[in-house]
Amino acid sequence: MLPPRRLQQRSRLLQAVRSFFLSRQYLEVDTPVLLSELIPESQIVPYRCEERFLQTSPELCMKLLLARGCPRLFQICHCFRKGEAGRYHRSEFTMLEWYHAGWGYGELMAEVEELVQALAREGDFPALDDGGGLRRQGRQVDLQSPWERLTVDEAFRRYAGIPARAALADDRFDELLVTRVEPHLGWQRPVFLCDYPVELGSLARRKAEDPQLAERFELYIAGIELANGFSELTDPAEQEERFAGEIRAIRAAGRPAAMPHRFLDTLAAMPETAGIALGFDRLLMLLSGADRIAEVLALDPESW
Amino acid sequence: MYSASDLRKGLKVQIDGEPYIIIEFEFSKPGKGQALYRTKMRNMITGNQFTQTYRSNDKFEKPDLEERTMQFLYSQDNEYHFMDTSSYEQIFLTREQLGDNVNFLVDNMEVQVLFFDNRPIDISLPIFVNLEVTRADPWVKGDTSGTDTKPVTVETGYRLQVPPFVNQGDRIQIDTRTGEYITRVKE
């Protein structure tokens, strides 16, 4: 059972996040959780719910709203992913997702940095100290700017001794990322791991200077992956091609998948946008000094 | 057969004809990446340990173990002695073989002893055991560590975190799979 203190921290963080976005003229939205169309992602397994699905993220719905002329949106919602339960995972979890039209991923990295710093200034979370530091496992992470930006390839060469491309070709990318790279990330200051091989960012725009890379980043604090952002891919033809690859992979794993045609039809009307999804429960874990995600949930979906 | 998503701490699997127990387990999944099941395994015969990362499509055989109900009699030096409650046959296991299970063993407790090729290799405890708190420190109010628990010691010498209202002399229920406090019990 969650002690009242933890529930209060959760409530406070929800409010602080809302104030941050409202003060920056973002519109809060709440889109449907039950969907008839899903974004096909090869490594995410949705829950079927009669003839529909529970959302695995609010991305599809929020992009529909962007295409209809809402330029700055945020949402705090529950997402559902089958088979994900562990120290940092729950099959039902809370996502903070936001989009800013006219931006690229660089501006979004700056904004998530400001968000976490603003939340830390609220001050009243147990893992924070007065000097803008975050305590974790006996170490201290300095939250002050500038946060480090490290490319995926640099990180793989430095910590796994192999270029990222080669790891991907050997089908060892995820394993090396988890066992060799991630444990080192974000212990002095938070770090943005950026510029993923394009195969690993099916919704992200290609980098103009290097089309084999996608403008995707992940934020790490104290070894924990906290947020994933993109410069969004807005070209419907290329998006359909990338989805086709994901769909092939899903079917190869023996699961059904369908092209989300309604989503693709509206994508042409979506402006250039940057978007990011942040694990709200993990952020609360970091701020409250919790070891396991289950410690910060009002009720644990895996055990009741 | 087990699949990777069945893996968890304490599960027993058979690899290359020998029984292994998972002594550490962590589910990992990088953003947009594949699910990885990171394990540390202990060979239940030799005691050798190794770490291995598995993926969703990996499969495991169940080890061919025979279970017999036995009563824990006593421990001496490194040996823990058990008696078959129907044949009165006695066997022992070493502390290494029992691992964390020794934290929950009290005299006369009935457990399942696991045999592989007629050799005792491990025990399986009831999921919940009730143990007496033999030492409890007073709770320091206003503790800034962010926790609402305090440490206590139970009759087996095992230490764990419990809510502040648990006192010395109380009996508490413990989940032997996680080693965690469940509730205070009245007997």
Side-chain angles (χ1 to χ4, degrees):
Chain A
M1 189 201 67
L2 193 69
R5 187 143 49 134
R6 283 270 162 83
L7 266 181
Q8 284 156 8
Q9 286 164 13
R10 191 173 174 92
S11 166
R12 225 172 39 240
L13 187 62
L14 282 167
Q15 291 170 48
V17 166
R18 286 203 163 95
S19 317
F20 177 88
F21 285 104
L22 294 174
S23 74
R24 294 185 172 218
Q25 283 73 52
Y26 278 83
L27 185 66
E28 180 169 14
V29 295
D30 57 331
T31 55
V33 167
L34 204 51
L35 304 177
S36 51
E37 205 170 68
L38 281 186
I39 288 174
E41 294 191 85
S42 59
Q43 303 298 344
I44 295 176
V45 183
Y47 282 99
R48 280 209 84 106
C49 192
E50 302 289 340
E51 67 280 8
R52 286 189 269 181
F53 302 95
L54 289 173
Q55 71 175 353
T56 57
S57 93
E59 182 160 1
L60 185 147
C61 291
M62 291 181 81
K63 285 183 171 174
L64 294 185
L65 295 179
L66 282 151
R68 290 181 191 178
C70 306
R72 284 192 297 283
L73 299 171
F74 81 99
Q75 175 157 210
I76 302 169
C77 60
H78 282 218
C79 297
F80 305 85
R81 297 179 181 185
K82 211 167 171 177
E84 300 194 7
R87 187 169 173 193
Y88 303 119
H89 291 83
R90 278 300 179 260
S91 54
E92 176 178 356
F93 63 100
T94 301
M95 189 86 101
L96 162 64
E97 187 147 327
W98 74 98
Y99 292 85
H100 193 298
W103 276 8
Y105 72 154
E107 288 132 309
L108 210 47
M109 282 187 243
E111 189 163 63
V112 65
E113 189 169 328
E114 287 158 17
L115 168 70
V116 175
Q117 288 167 343
L119 298 171
R121 269 195 307 275
E122 300 275 310
D124 227 3
F125 292 99
L128 294 169
D129 62 32
D130 298 335
L134 179 85
R135 287 188 301 271
R136 184 112 191 131
Q137 292 168 9
R139 296 163 78 174
Q140 184 123 356
V141 183
D142 183 356
L143 296 180
Q144 294 181 69
S145 299
W147 292 3
E148 193 186 352
R149 296 185 186 190
L150 179 65
T151 71
V152 170
D153 192 52
E154 279 166 14
F156 268 75
R157 288 171 192 268
R158 188 182 302 173
Y159 299 119
I162 178 175
R165 261 290 143 210
L168 193 63
D170 281 358
D171 191 21
R172 295 182 67 208
F173 185 93
D174 289 329
E175 185 192 331
L176 291 173
L177 179 64
V178 164
T179 57
R180 307 276 289 277
V181 180
E182 285 185 345
H184 298 283
L185 300 179
W187 283 100
Q188 272 149 20
R189 288 188 183 204
V191 58
F192 293 105
L193 200 59
C194 47
D195 298 346
Y196 280 69
V198 71
E199 297 89 326
L200 301 177
S202 72
L203 292 141
R205 187 169 75 195
R206 286 178 195 266
K207 229 175 140 63
E209 312 89 279
D210 184 352
Q212 286 313 299
L213 294 176
E215 290 189 352
R216 171 187 167 197
F217 68 87
E218 292 265 5
L219 168 62
Y220 285 88
I221 301 180
I224 296 178
E225 176 204 325
L226 189 63
N228 174 61
F230 306 136
S231 304
E232 302 293 343
L233 178 57
T234 52
D235 172 1
E238 182 173 2
Q239 185 65 84
E240 183 164 6
E241 219 170 275
R242 303 253 208 113
F243 280 167
E246 294 291 316
I247 289 172
R248 274 195 299 277
I250 297 170
R251 289 180 180 156
R255 299 195 310 270
M259 188 63 76
H261 289 291
R262 266 174 43 198
F263 171 73
L264 290 170
D265 288 346
T266 52
L267 196 58
M270 192 174 101
E272 291 297 315
T273 299
I276 177 170
L278 181 149
F280 179 86
D281 308 308
R282 289 189 191 171
L283 176 61
L284 183 54
M285 277 179 75
L286 285 168
L287 293 174
S288 62
D291 255 352
R292 317 182 67 85
I293 194 167
E295 294 170 27
V296 301
L297 305 175
L299 289 168
D300 182 0
E302 316 301 335
S303 71
W304 80 286
Chain B
M1 291 286 269
Y2 292 116
S3 66
S5 59
D6 297 318
L7 298 182
R8 61 181 189 282
K9 192 175 168 185
L11 188 76
K12 300 172 184 77
V13 297
Q14 185 160 311
I15 300 171
D16 298 332
E18 299 205 320
Y20 285 81
I21 183 164
I22 298 174
I23 51 173
E24 284 172 28
F25 175 75
E26 186 141 343
F27 172 83
S28 299
K29 191 173 188 299
K32 313 280 176 193
Q34 56 192 275
L36 298 169
Y37 304 84
R38 302 163 67 186
T39 63
K40 188 171 190 180
M41 302 264 193
R42 177 164 55 82
N43 186 308
M44 296 175 74
I45 298 168
T46 65
N48 290 339
Q49 298 180 1
F50 72 97
T51 58
Q52 180 72 40
T53 299
Y54 296 101
R55 300 184 187 191
S56 304
N57 48 1
D58 286 320
K59 298 268 186 281
F60 305 85
E61 277 180 63
K62 290 183 186 181
D64 191 11
L65 299 176
E66 184 202 348
E67 278 194 3
R68 283 158 63 183
T69 304
M70 298 185 112
Q71 192 174 38
F72 175 57
L73 297 178
Y74 62 93
S75 64
Q76 191 172 24
D77 303 325
N78 196 31
E79 297 174 355
Y80 289 73
H81 293 259
F82 297 84
M83 180 179 71
D84 189 316
T85 47
S86 45
S87 69
Y88 306 109
E89 179 199 348
Q90 290 190 24
I91 54 105
F92 73 86
L93 288 113
T94 63
R95 199 184 191 295
E96 288 70 38
Q97 285 178 307
L98 292 174
D100 290 344
N101 285 330
V102 299
N103 292 331
F104 312 109
L105 271 180
V106 289
D107 292 359
N108 302 321
M109 180 185 273
E110 279 202 350
V111 301
Q112 300 297 314
V113 177
L114 306 181
F115 290 79
F116 184 81
D117 263 355
N118 294 316
R119 289 154 59 189
I121 58 168
D122 195 10
I123 63 170
S124 124
L125 290 169
I127 293 172
F128 301 108
V129 295
N130 296 341
L131 297 174
E132 186 183 329
V133 175
T134 51
R135 203 185 141 183
D137 297 330
W139 186 48
V140 186
K141 238 193 154 80
D143 170 3
T144 53
S145 66
T147 57
D148 292 309
T149 59
K150 64 173 185 180
V152 295
T153 307
V154 292
E155 57 190 299
T156 59
Y158 176 60
R159 277 173 74 78
L160 74 161
Q161 293 289 325
V162 302
F165 56 75
V166 173
N167 298 314
Q168 189 168 321
D170 286 348
R171 291 183 73 78
I172 58 171
Q173 188 172 76
I174 299 172
D175 186 328
T176 59
R177 298 166 300 183
T178 60
E180 286 170 7
Y181 168 89
I182 300 295
T183 182
R184 189 163 55 166
V185 290
K186 293 197 172 70
E187 288 179 6

